[in-house]
C-alpha cells in the first residue's frame, strides 16, 4: 500500500522579488501531481537547504532572475554537500544566459530551464530523474 | 529496506534531522515496515504536548504558529510544527506554502517544520498527522503544533488528535465565526483573535464570548479568548502562558485519552480493512462488477454494499451475527 | 421637431443595418463557417449598432480635454520638437538636454559617482536616474547577512546619507542639484531617500523647494508584483502619506510618485487586472492624501505614472489606453470631486508597448518586429511611437549597442517616415474601437468595484486577493501557451528543423567595471564601519528611539524624524529596523 509522492521545493534565493516563474512552476507541478513546498522570496541558501532536508524533498527548484545565479547556486550546492544531501536533484530556472548553463551543470545542477520552457517539460524532467 | 529502517531509527534516536525527515516520508508513504517502525518509536515518545491550531483561511494561523514556536523556544522548549494543506482532488498534487509565513521558525535549530498534504488517502489524514506528531515526539520535541485550515471535516479531525485545540479568528470575517459553530466549537480549548490591532477585534472577541455563553447555557467555565497581533508578536507571550498552563489541565484526563486511543485503533483498523478489501476485490474484480452494475442502473450502491458484505465476512472468517 | 425626425431616421437606419447584418451572417458568414468546418467565425465585423448610444463628447471629447480619451494633449514637447530633434541628431538615451539621464547605478556609491563623472566628460549631462541595489530597496545595509552577494548588483548601494552625498559630488556649479532633475526608482524606503534629497539640498544651501525629479514611491504595486516590500501594506501607505505631505510642503516641484501597472502585468496580470489594480492603487494614494487634509486638485498635478503593462494584442492595447485615461479622469471627477483639468491626466512618458514578457528567447531577433508593433500602438495612443524593448532583452546580458540602435531607429522611422502620430486618437469613432474601449472599461470597473467591496487596495493586498489573482492569471496564460491555444512564433509553433535561427553581431558595452563590482560589497562594509566609528552614536541612537516612539502615533508625520536620522548618520537599515519594530514586516502571500 505505497503512497509515494514526489516532493519538490521551489525557492527564490536572494532578494529578487520577481515571482512569476516560480509561481507558475509551483502551480504547474502541483497540477502534475507533485507535492510542492513553496518557500517564497528572500531565502538564503542555508534556509533553502534546511527546508529541503526537513521536508525531505526529492527536488529543489531555484528561480533566479537577478543575474546572481552562479554565486547563489554555488552556495546552495555547497550547502547540500556539507549536509551530505547531494542526492537531492537540483534544477534552476530564470534568466540564465546560454554561456552560464554549462557552468551550472558543472556545479551539479541537473536541469536548467530558461524563458519559454514549458511546465510540462519541467514536470517530465523531474519524473524521469526521480526514481520512484 | 529492513537495514535502512534500522539506520533511520538509530538516527532518530541520535537526534539526526535527516533521519527524522526520512522516516516521516516513509511512514507517510506507508512503505513496507512502517507499522513496525511506529511500534518501535511509540515507547520513545509520550512526553510531547500537542497543540492543534485551526481557523478560517486568512486568519494568520501560520504567522501565529511561528510566533508561538519562537516564544516556546525562548522558554527553552523544542518544537515540531506540522503544517497541513489540502491535496488537489484532481491531480493528487499539493501546494504547501505555510513555511513561507514562518519567518523565525525556519531559522531556529530547535524547530522542525514539516509540511503535509492531506493526500485524501484511505484511513484519512488524521492518522498520518498523528503518526508524524508521534515521530516528532519520539525525536524529542517538547511541543508539537499541528496547523490546519479549519474548513473541512478532515481538518477538524486532525486537530482532535491534539492535547489542546486553539481556534484562530480575525476581525472582519463575520462569516468565519459563523462557520466555526459547526463542529469546532465543542473541541476548542482556547480562542485567539489574531490581527487584533485591526478595527473590530473587540467585537469579534465579544461575539465569540456570546456564542460560548449560549452554547454552555451559562454554566461551567468558558474557554479563554485571547487577543494577539502575531505579525508583531503582541499578545503572544500571554498566549503561550495560557497554553503552557493548559497543558497541565484540560483534556489530559484519562477518559479523554482513552477515547482518543479508541478512535485511533478503530481508524487504523478501518484503513487496514479497507486496504485489504480493496486489494482483494481489485484482484477478483467484484468491486468493478458492482460499480458497472450500478452505472447500468441494474442495482444501487446500498444493495451492492450489502451483497459485498458476505465476501468481507468470508475474508475475515466472521460468522453472520444478525 | 428636427431632432425627432433625426432620431426616427436613425432608428430606421439602425434597424435596417440589423436586418442586413442578420442576412449577411446567415448568407455569407455561416456558410463559410460550415464550408471550412469551423465552430464559429474566426473574424468579427462591427457596425454602428455596436455603439448604439455613442455620445462623442461624453465618451471621447477633444485631445487635452475631459474625459481625455483622445489624449492628454493635442501634442506634447517631443512632437512639437520632433523635426528639430532629427536635424540635431538627438540621442534620447544620453540625457544631453539636461533632463533626466540614463537609468542606471551600480556598485558602491563612489563607483556610481565615478560613472556619472565619466558620463559628464562625454557630454551626457542628464540628472541622476538612480537604480538602487536590492539590498537598499529591501531596507538593509550592505553589512546585513541578507545583503550577501547582492550589494551594488542591480543598482547602487546606499547605506547612509554619506553615500547619497558621494553620488551627488559631480553635481555642482552648472549642474547644481536644483538645475537637473533626479529620478529615484525606490519604493519601500522612499521616505528615507526623499529625506536624503532634501537634506542634501539643505546642506548645500539649496532650497529643497527648487528640487525637481520623480521618486517611484509606488509601494502598493510591490505587494502585487516585484516584491521589494518591507512593512505591511497599511503602514506602508501611511509612510506614503508622510512623504506626500512633506513634498507638497517643502519640495513642491518634485513629482510625488510614479504609479505603475507595468510590473503588475509583467507578473502575469490580465489587461483588466492591470488597469483595475493600478487605478485601485492610485485611488488608495489619493484617498490617503485627502484624509491627510490635502487638496487633490493640487497634489494630483504631481502624480505621475511610469507605464501600464503591454502586450502584442495591438487593438486591445489601444483600447486600454483610451479606457485608462477616461476611467482615471472620471474617477477623479466623480469619486474625488477633482475639478482641475491639470490634475486629471495620466502623466506618463509612454503609452502602449508590448512589454518585456512578450519577447522570446527563441529566435531572439524576432523581438524587433514585435517591439515595432508596440511602437505603432504607442503612436496611435498619444505618445511618442516608442519601440520597446530592445530585441535582445531576454538574453539577460544588458542591451547591446546594436539592439539599442535598432530600437532607436525603429522609433525614428515611425516618427518621421510614416505620419503615424500626425493624428490624435485616430481610432476615435471607430465602431470596433469604441465598443472595445467600452468593454474593457466595464470589465475594469467591475473589478474595481470588487476591490472597493473588499475595502480598497490595501485590504485586497492584505487578504492576498490581488497577488493571488495575478499569479493565477500568469498560470492560466502559461497553460494556454502550452496547449497551443495562444500561439507564440518560435516558442510553441513554427519550431521545426526547417526554421532558421538568425543572428547578428552584438556588442554589449561594458557599462560597469566587473572589478569594481567584485569589491564593492567589501568597500561598502568598510564605509559602514567607518561611519559607525566616526558618527555621534548617542545622538543617532536617541533619534532612532524617538522615531520609534513617533511611529506608534498614526497621525504623526515621520518625515522630520527621518530627516533628523538621515542628517545624523543613522543608516538606512537602522531607520528601517526602527520602523520594522513598530510596523512589523509584510507577510508573503501564500499561494
Amino acid at each position: 500500500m505505497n503512497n509515494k509522492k514526489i516532493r519538490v521545493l521551489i525557492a527564490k534565493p536572494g532578494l529578487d522579488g520577481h515571482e512569476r516563474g516560480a509561481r507558475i512552476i509551483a502551480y504547474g507541478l502541483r497540477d502534475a501531481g507533485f507535492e510542492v513546498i513553496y518557500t517564497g522570496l528572500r531565502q538564503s541558501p542555508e534556509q533553502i537547504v534546511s527546508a529541503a532536508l526537513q521536508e525531505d524533498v526529492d527536488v529543489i527548484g531555484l528561480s533566479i532572475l537577478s543575474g546572481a545565479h552562479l554565486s547563489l547556486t554555488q552556495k546552495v550546492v555547497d550547502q547540500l554537500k556539507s549536509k551530505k544531501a547531494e542526492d537531492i536533484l537540483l534544477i534552476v530556472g530564470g534568466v540564465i544566459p546560454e554561456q552560464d548553463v554549462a557552468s551550472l551543470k558543472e556545479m551539479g545542477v541537473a536541469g536548467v530551464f530558461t524563458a519559454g520552457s514549458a511546465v510540462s517539460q519541467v514536470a517530465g524532467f523531474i519524473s524521469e530523474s526521480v526514481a520512484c | 529496506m529492513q537495514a535502512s529502517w534500522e539506520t533511520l531509527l538509530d538516527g532518530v534516536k541520535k537526534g539526526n534531522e535527516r533521519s527524522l525527515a526520512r522516516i516521516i516520508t516513509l511512514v507517510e508513504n506507508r512503505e513496507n515496515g512502517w507499522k513496525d517502525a511506529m511500534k518501535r518509536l511509540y515507547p520513545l515518545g509520550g512526553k510531547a504536548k500537542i497543540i492543534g491550531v485551526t481557523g478560517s483561511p486568512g486568519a494568520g494561523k501560520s504567522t501565529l504558529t511561528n510566533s508561538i514556536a519562537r516564544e516556546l523556544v525562548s522558554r527553552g522548549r523544542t518544537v515540531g510544527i506540522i503544517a497541513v494543506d489540502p491535496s488537489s482532488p484532481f491531480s493528487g498534487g499539493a501546494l504547501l506554502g505555510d513555511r513561507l509565513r514562518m519567518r523565525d521558525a525556519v531559522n531556529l535549530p530547535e524547530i522542525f517544520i514539516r509540511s503535509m498534504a492531506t493526500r485524501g488517502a484511505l484511513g484519512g489524514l488524521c492518522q498520518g498527522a498523528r503518526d508524524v506528531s508521534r515521530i516528532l515526539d519520539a525525536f524529542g520535541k517538547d511541543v508539537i503544533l499541528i496547523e490546519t485550515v479549519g474548513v473541512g471535516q478532515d481538518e477538524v479531525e486532525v486537530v482532535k488528535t491534539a492535547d489542546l485545540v486553539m481556534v484562530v479568528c480575525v476581525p472582519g470575517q463575520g462569516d468565519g465565526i459563523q462557520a466555526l459553530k459547526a463542529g469546532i466549537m465543542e473541541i476548542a480549548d482556547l480562542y485567539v483573535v489574531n490581527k487584533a490591532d485591526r478595527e473590530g477585534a473587540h467585537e469579534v472577541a465579544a461575539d465569540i464570548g456570546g456564542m460560548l455563553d449560549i452554547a454552555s447555557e451559562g454554566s461551567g467555565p468558558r474557554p479563554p479568548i485571547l487577543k494577539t497581533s502575531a505579525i508583531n508578536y503582541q499578545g503572544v507571550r500571554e498566549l503561550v502562558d495560557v497554553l503552557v498552563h493548559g497543558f497541565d489541565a484540560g483534556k489530559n484526563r484519562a477518559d479523554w485519552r482513552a477515547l482518543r486511543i479508541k478512535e485511533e485503533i478503530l481508524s487504523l483498523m478501518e484503513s487496514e480493512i479497507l486496504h485489504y478489501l480493496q486489494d482483494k476485490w481489485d484482484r477478483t474484480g467484484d468491486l468493478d462488477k458492482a460499480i458497472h452494475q450500478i452505472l447500468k442502473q441494474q442495482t444501487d450502491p446500498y444493495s451492492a454494499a450489502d451483497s459485498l458484505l458476505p465476501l468481507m465476512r468470508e475474508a475475515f472468517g466472521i460468522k453472520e451475527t444478525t | 421637431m428636427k431632432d425627432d425626425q433625426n432620431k426616427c431616421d436613425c432608428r430606421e437606419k439602425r434597424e435596417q443595418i440589423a436586418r442586413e447584418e442578420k442576412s449577411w451572417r446567415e448568407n455569407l458568414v455561416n456558410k463559410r463557417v460550415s464550408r471550412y468546418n469551423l465552430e464559429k467565425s474566426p473574424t468579427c465585423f462591427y457596425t454602428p449598432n455596436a455603439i448604439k448610444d455613442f455620445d462623442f463628447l461624453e465618451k471621447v471629447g477633444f485631445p487635452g480635454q475631459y474625459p481625455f480619451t483622445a489624449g492628454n494633449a493635442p501634442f506634447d514637447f517631443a512632437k512639437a520638437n520632433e523635426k528639430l530633434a532629427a536635424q540635431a541628431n538627438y540621442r534620447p538615451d544620453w540625457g544631453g538636454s539636461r533632463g533626466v539621464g540614463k537609468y542606471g547605478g551600480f556598485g558602491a556609491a563612489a563607483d556610481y559617482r565615478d560613472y556619472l563623472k565619466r558620463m559628464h566628460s562625454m557630454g551626457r549631462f542628464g540628472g541622476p536616474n538612480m537604480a538602487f541595489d536590492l539590498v537598499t530597496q529591501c531596507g538593509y545595509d550592505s553589512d546585513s547577512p541578507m545583503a550577501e552577494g547582492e550589494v551594488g548588483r542591480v543598482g547602487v548601494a546606499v547605506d547612509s546619507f554619506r553615500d547619497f552625498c558621494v553620488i551627488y559630488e559631480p553635481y555642482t556649479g552648472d549642474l547644481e542639484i536644483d538645475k537637473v532633475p533626479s529620478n529615484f526608482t525606490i519604493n519601500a524606503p522612499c521616505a528615507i531617500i526623499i529625506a536624503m534629497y532634501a537634506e542634501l539640498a539643505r546642506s548645500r544651501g539649496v532650497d529643497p523647494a527648487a528640487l525637481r525629479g520623480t521618486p517611484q514611491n509606488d509601494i502598493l504595486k510591490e505587494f502585487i508584483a516585484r516584491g521589494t516590500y518591507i512593512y505591511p501594506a497599511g503602514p506602508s501607505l501611511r509612510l506614503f502619506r508622510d512623504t506626500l505631505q512633506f513634498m507638497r510642503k517643502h519640495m513642491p516641484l518634485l513629482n510625488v510618485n510614479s504609479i505603475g501597472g507595468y510590473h503588475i502585468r509583467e507578473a502575469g496580470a490580465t489587461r483588466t487586472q492591470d488597469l483595475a489594480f493600478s487605478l485601485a492603487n492610485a485611488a488608495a494614494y489619493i484617498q490617503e492624501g485627502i484624509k491627510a487634509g490635502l487638496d487633490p486638485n493640487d497634489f494630483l498635478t504631481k502624480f505621475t505614472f511610469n507605464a501600464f503593462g503591454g502586450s502584442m494584442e495591438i487593438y486591445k492595447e489601444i483600447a486600454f489606453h483610451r479606457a485608462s485615461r477616461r476611467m482615471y479622469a472620471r474617477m477623479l471627477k466623480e469619486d474625488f470631486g477633482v475639478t482641475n483639468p491639470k490634475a486629471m491626466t495620466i502623466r506618463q512618458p509612454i503609452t502602449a508597448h508590448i512589454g518585456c514578457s512578450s519577447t522570446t528567447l527563441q529566435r531572439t531577433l524576432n523581438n524587433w518586429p514585435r517591439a515595432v508593433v508596440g511602437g505603432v500602438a504607442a503612436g496611435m495612443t498619444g505618445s511618442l511611437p516608442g519601440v520597446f524593448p530592445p530585441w535582445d532583452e531576454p538574453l539577460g546580458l544588458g542591451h547591446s549597442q546594436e539592439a539599442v540602435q535598432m530600437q532607436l531607429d525603429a522609433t525614428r522611422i515611425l516618427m518621421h517616415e510614416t505620419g503615424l502620430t500626425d493624428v490624435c486618437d485616430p481610432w476615435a469613432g471607430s465602431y470596433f474601437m469604441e465598443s472595445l474601449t467600452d468593454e474593457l472599461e466595464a470589465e475594469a470597473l467591475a473589478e474595481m468595484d470588487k476591490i472597493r467591496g473588499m475595502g480598497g487596495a490595501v485590504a485586497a493586498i492584505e487578504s492576498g486577493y490581488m497577488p493571488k489573482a495575478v499569479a493565477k492569471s500568469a498560470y492560466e496564460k502559461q497553460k494556454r501557451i502550452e496547449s497551443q491555444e495562444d500561439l507564440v512564433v518560435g516558442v510553441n509553433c513554427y519550431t521545426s528543423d526547417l526554421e532558421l535561427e538568425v543572428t547578428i553581431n552584438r556588442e554589449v558595452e561594458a557599462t560597469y567595471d566587473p572589478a569594481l563590482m567584485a569589491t564593492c560589497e567589501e568597500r561598502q562594509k568598510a564605509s559602514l564601519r567607518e561611519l559607525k566609528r566616526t558618527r555621534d552614536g548617542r545622538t543617532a541612537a536617541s533619534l532612532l528611539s524617538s522615531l520609534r516612539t513617533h511611529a506608534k502615533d498614526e497621525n504623526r508625520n515621520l518625515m522630520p524624524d527621518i530627516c533628523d536620522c538621515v542628517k545624523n548618520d543613522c543608516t538606512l537599515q537602522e531607520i528601517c529596523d526602527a520602523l520594522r519594530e513598530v510596523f512589523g514586516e509584510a507577510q508573503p502571500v501564500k499561494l
Side-chain angles (χ1 to χ4, degrees):
Chain A
M1 50 195 218
N2 191 303
N3 220 349
K4 174 149 175 72
K5 292 267 175 219
I6 294 177
R7 285 165 72 87
V8 184
L9 185 106
I10 299 292
K12 281 195 64 72
L15 296 173
D16 160 49
H18 295 95
E19 254 183 307
R20 178 179 185 160
R23 285 169 162 176
I24 287 177
I25 290 290
Y27 280 133
L29 295 183
R30 175 199 62 191
D31 289 351
F34 301 138
E35 287 184 358
V36 181
I37 293 107
Y38 188 66
T39 61
L41 301 179
R42 301 187 199 173
Q43 297 291 303
S44 71
E46 292 79 10
Q47 287 172 325
I48 291 167
V49 171
S50 147
L53 294 183
Q54 292 187 350
E55 300 290 355
D56 194 29
V57 295
D58 306 285
V59 184
I60 297 175
L62 304 176
S63 164
I64 312 171
L65 289 87
S66 64
H69 43 273
L70 290 178
S71 64
L72 286 169
T73 306
Q74 186 62 57
K75 281 180 193 158
V76 171
V77 169
D78 293 346
Q79 278 290 316
L80 283 170
K81 273 192 191 136
S82 77
K83 297 273 164 68
K84 297 196 175 51
E86 299 104 311
D87 56 307
I88 299 176
L89 190 79
L90 183 61
I91 59 176
V92 176
V95 182
I96 316 286
E98 215 179 317
Q99 60 267 38
D100 289 349
V101 173
S103 320
L104 286 172
K105 294 209 163 151
E106 232 162 78
M107 279 179 207
V109 174
V112 178
F113 299 92
T114 52
S117 303
V119 179
S120 53
Q121 226 176 309
V122 181
F125 180 83
I126 292 175
S127 299
E128 271 169 38
S129 312
V130 177
C132 275
Chain B
M1 206 67 216
Q2 204 59 34
S4 111
W5 277 112
E6 277 314 320
T7 324
L8 293 175
L9 285 166
D10 203 42
V12 167
K13 281 182 208 162
K14 287 184 179 144
N16 179 313
E17 271 206 359
R18 188 110 208 255
S19 302
L20 168 66
R22 211 73 257 284
I23 266 197
I24 292 175
T25 307
L26 296 180
V27 169
E28 202 187 3
N29 289 349
R30 297 303 192 230
E31 300 279 359
N32 277 330
W34 74 272
K35 220 185 283 167
D36 290 328
M38 287 309 296
K39 286 178 204 165
R40 309 246 315 258
L41 287 163
Y42 186 82
L44 300 178
K47 296 175 285 283
K49 302 297 175 189
I50 303 170
I51 303 171
V53 182
T54 191
S56 46
K61 293 179 296 297
S62 304
T63 315
L64 188 61
T65 301
N66 173 67
S67 311
I68 294 171
R70 181 174 109 153
E71 176 63 20
L72 283 165
V73 166
S74 78
R75 297 184 188 195
R77 311 219 186 195
T78 59
V79 180
I81 297 175
I82 304 170
V84 183
D85 270 315
S87 293
S88 154
F90 306 108
S91 72
L95 196 43
L96 310 171
D98 287 320
R99 283 191 90 90
L100 95 170
R101 294 265 172 125
M102 299 184 180
R103 193 192 313 263
D104 307 299
V106 296
N107 290 324
L108 292 168
E110 296 87 350
I111 300 176
F112 184 95
I113 309 174
R114 182 63 174 229
S115 310
M116 247 183 116
T118 52
R119 293 200 181 177
L122 292 174
L125 161 71
C126 197
Q127 188 59 39
R130 191 151 26 200
D131 295 337
V132 178
S133 63
R134 209 160 263 151
I135 300 170
L136 289 166
D137 184 359
F139 185 74
K141 293 296 179 195
D142 300 325
V143 181
I144 292 151
L145 295 156
I146 306 181
E147 186 208 320
T148 68
V149 175
V151 280
Q153 193 54 36
D154 245 6
E155 285 84 357
V156 173
E157 291 297 320
V158 169
V159 291
K160 268 188 175 173
T161 68
D163 298 313
L164 271 173
V165 176
M166 193 171 98
V167 175
V168 188
C169 310
V170 274
Q173 278 195 339
D175 305 349
I177 292 168
Q178 290 304 312
L180 290 179
K181 275 186 191 168
I184 203 94
M185 291 283 279
E186 304 94 76
I187 57 164
D189 299 289
L190 176 68
Y191 290 85
V192 176
V193 178
N194 193 27
K195 307 188 184 179
D197 48 335
R198 286 196 191 167
E199 231 168 275
H202 185 71
E203 287 76 0
V204 176
D207 287 351
I208 297 169
M211 218 135 59
L212 291 173
D213 285 339
I214 299 281
S216 69
E217 294 173 345
S219 68
R222 193 172 91 169
I225 305 165
L226 284 93
K227 287 188 212 153
T228 57
S229 175
I231 195 168
N232 36 25
Y233 305 104
Q234 277 164 25
V236 173
R237 193 172 304 156
E238 294 77 2
L239 168 60
V240 170
D241 285 342
V242 173
L243 287 173
V244 169
H245 180 71
F247 292 154
D248 308 323
K251 289 180 182 164
N252 265 332
R253 298 176 315 243
D255 55 342
W256 172 252
R257 290 199 55 203
L259 186 68
R260 283 196 343 199
I261 293 167
K262 180 180 161 192
E263 275 177 5
E264 178 170 9
I265 296 172
L266 287 178
S267 124
L268 281 167
M269 292 297 293
E270 189 181 295
S271 79
E272 287 291 328
I273 292 167
L274 271 175
H275 275 297
Y276 180 84
L277 291 177
Q278 198 173 45
D279 192 46
K280 187 176 161 72
W281 289 336
D282 276 351
R283 273 184 277 126
T284 60
D286 285 335
L287 190 59
D288 283 341
K289 235 177 280 166
I291 294 168
H292 193 66
Q293 283 174 346
I294 297 166
L295 285 174
K296 287 178 82 179
Q297 296 188 325
Q298 288 164 347
T299 185
D300 59 89
Y302 310 99
S303 312
D306 262 350
S307 70
L308 288 168
L309 268 180
L311 288 173
M312 185 197 81
R313 292 201 186 95
E314 186 197 326
F316 288 101
I318 309 168
K319 279 192 198 141
E320 190 139 5
T321 47
T322 48
Chain C
M1 198 54 200
K2 200 174 167 202
D3 258 14
D4 283 353
Q5 186 64 40
N6 272 346
K7 260 184 203 155
C8 195
D9 285 353
C10 264
R11 196 188 315 134
E12 242 167 62
K13 268 261 154 59
R14 273 214 295 267
E15 281 164 4
Q16 192 194 346
I17 291 170
R19 281 194 305 274
E20 298 266 342
E21 187 180 350
K22 193 164 173 263
S23 94
W24 166 76
R25 204 166 288 287
E26 280 161 7
N27 294 324
L28 247 99
V29 183
N30 292 352
K31 275 185 192 154
R32 274 181 176 254
V33 166
S34 52
R35 192 204 307 168
Y36 291 106
N37 226 347
L38 300 174
E39 271 172 31
K40 63 179 180 82
S41 168
T43 59
C44 318
F45 182 70
Y46 288 77
T47 69
N49 286 356
I51 46 168
K52 272 186 199 133
D53 304 312
F54 179 69
D55 180 334
F56 171 78
L57 289 176
E58 185 204 321
K59 295 267 189 184
V60 186
F62 289 90
Q65 285 180 3
Y66 189 85
F68 300 99
T69 312
N72 286 350
F75 55 88
D76 61 8
F77 177 85
K79 181 72 186 166
N81 294 288
E82 70 180 11
K83 224 171 202 134
L84 286 175
Q87 287 156 354
N89 294 320
Y90 171 65
R91 294 271 307 192
D93 56 336
W94 284 11
S97 63
R98 308 224 173 150
V100 172
K102 195 176 171 183
Y103 178 60
F106 80 108
D111 301 335
Y112 185 43
R113 171 200 62 197
D114 295 344
Y115 165 85
L116 291 168
K117 273 188 189 163
R118 204 168 77 237
M119 292 300 109
H120 293 177
S121 71
M122 293 160 78
R124 305 179 184 184
F125 292 115
N129 187 355
M130 264 184 236
F132 296 87
D133 67 3
L134 285 165
V135 182
T136 308
Q137 289 186 50
C138 295
Y140 298 108
D141 285 344
S142 299
D143 59 359
S144 157
M146 297 294 287
E148 212 188 313
E150 309 255 21
V151 175
R153 282 210 73 90
V154 302
V156 62
V158 174
D159 293 326
S160 67
F161 184 47
R162 291 192 194 174
D163 287 340
F164 195 79
C165 293
V166 166
I167 294 170
Y168 274 95
E169 279 169 15
Y171 290 91
T172 52
D174 276 356
L175 295 177
E176 184 52 86
I177 55 170
D178 56 353
K179 298 195 174 68
V180 292
S182 295
N183 277 12
F184 308 107
T185 300
I186 193 99
N187 297 283
C190 191
I192 301 172
I193 299 299
I194 290 169
M196 287 182 180
Y197 197 29
E199 286 308 320
L200 175 70
R202 285 172 186 154
S203 73
R204 290 183 177 192
V206 171
D207 185 354
L211 296 180
R212 288 174 301 131
T214 311
Q216 194 163 74
N217 209 11
D218 176 19
I219 187 62
L220 294 180
K221 64 114 175 31
E222 295 292 324
F223 295 98
I224 309 170
R226 213 172 160 269
T228 65
Y229 42 72
I230 303 177
Y231 324 106
S236 298
L237 191 60
R238 178 256 180 108
L239 278 178
F240 167 79
R241 176 205 67 190
D242 292 355
T243 62
L244 173 66
Q245 284 178 318
F246 182 81
M247 284 188 272
R248 292 319 295 146
K249 195 167 168 199
H250 301 288
M251 308 163 99
L253 297 183
L254 206 60
N255 286 318
V256 167
N257 52 10
S258 176
I259 301 168
Y262 176 79
H263 298 98
I264 298 175
R265 183 102 69 100
E266 287 289 302
T270 62
R271 198 172 289 105
T272 308
Q273 287 167 339
D274 172 0
L275 184 48
F277 294 179
S278 313
L279 293 190
N281 287 351
Y285 296 130
I286 297 164
Q287 190 71 57
E288 199 64 17
I290 292 172
K291 233 170 64 189
L294 300 175
D295 177 8
N297 285 302
D298 164 62
F299 69 72
L300 282 173
T301 60
K302 290 294 172 191
F303 268 41
T304 74
F305 287 72
N306 48 68
F308 291 101
S311 78
M312 291 297 297
E313 293 178 301
I314 181 169
Y315 295 136
K316 291 180 179 171
E317 294 309 328
I318 293 168
F320 181 103
H321 285 277
R322 304 180 82 243
S324 69
R325 288 191 291 253
R326 183 159 85 202
M327 284 173 70
Y328 187 63
R330 280 209 180 134
M331 174 175 88
L332 297 184
K333 185 177 168 187
E334 287 163 19
D335 297 352
F336 296 110
V338 173
T339 50
N340 176 5
K342 281 192 183 132
M344 284 186 187
T345 58
I346 292 178
R347 299 166 64 218
Q348 59 185 3
I350 53 162
T351 55
H353 57 88
I354 62 165
C356 290
S357 57
S358 296
T359 63
T360 70
L361 185 59
Q362 292 76 8
R363 306 221 283 279
T364 326
L365 202 53
N366 287 348
N367 297 324
W368 195 41
R370 286 196 178 98
V372 170
V373 167
V376 171
M380 289 181 176
T381 46
S383 85
L384 190 97
V387 171
F388 169 86
W391 63 266
D392 56 3
E393 164 72 22
L395 294 176
L397 292 167
H399 301 137
S400 63
Q401 295 177 25
E402 289 83 354
V404 171
Q405 185 66 45
M406 289 164 81
Q407 169 199 29
L408 277 176
D409 278 345
T411 303
R412 291 158 172 166
I413 290 166
L414 293 179
M415 275 169 76
H416 302 296
E417 299 181 20
T418 65
L420 179 70
T421 58
D422 294 348
V423 182
C424 295
D425 194 15
W427 288 90
S430 148
Y431 311 132
F432 161 55
M433 188 54 72
E434 294 298 354
S435 87
L436 192 61
T437 307
D438 287 350
E439 213 173 279
L440 188 60
E441 180 181 32
E443 280 172 22
L445 283 174
E447 185 63 35
M448 286 178 76
D449 276 344
K450 200 165 159 190
I451 292 166
R452 200 170 297 134
M454 294 174 189
V458 168
I461 284 166
E462 279 181 342
S463 72
Y465 170 75
M466 292 207 274
K468 258 188 263 185
V470 171
K472 280 190 187 134
S473 299
Y475 183 46
E476 292 308 316
K477 170 84 183 162
Q478 178 71 20
K479 283 201 281 191
R480 286 200 304 278
I481 290 173
E482 292 194 21
S483 65
Q484 282 191 314
E485 192 184 327
D486 289 1
L487 294 172
V488 185
V489 173
V491 173
N492 67 353
C493 56
Y494 303 111
T495 52
S496 79
D497 295 341
L498 298 173
E499 311 295 337
L500 198 63
E501 175 83 46
V502 183
T503 52
I504 59 167
N505 186 46
R506 290 176 68 240
E507 202 131 319
V508 180
E509 194 182 20
T511 325
Y512 306 131
D513 184 349
L516 291 175
M517 294 281 264
T519 59
C520 68
E521 186 165 331
E522 278 319 306
R523 285 181 288 127
Q524 278 296 119
K525 281 185 187 170
S527 320
L528 265 170
R529 280 195 297 273
E530 173 69 13
L531 173 117
K532 286 180 185 171
R533 235 180 271 133
T534 55
R535 72 177 174 185
D536 176 355
R538 293 176 74 99
T539 305
S542 94
L543 286 171
L544 288 167
S545 157
S546 56
L547 173 65
R548 256 190 302 270
T549 312
H550 293 157
K552 286 175 194 147
D553 177 2
E554 224 261 301
N555 295 318
R556 182 146 184 152
N557 190 308
L558 295 177
M559 286 307 286
D561 288 292
I562 296 175
C563 284
D564 285 343
C565 287
V566 159
K567 199 166 48 182
N568 288 283
D569 293 328
C570 299
T571 70
L572 182 116
Q573 181 171 353
E574 285 171 341
I575 297 170
C576 290
D577 280 349
L579 297 177
R580 278 185 183 102
E581 262 179 61
V582 182
F583 296 155
E585 286 185 71
Q587 290 283 44
V589 170
K590 193 181 160 183
L591 290 184

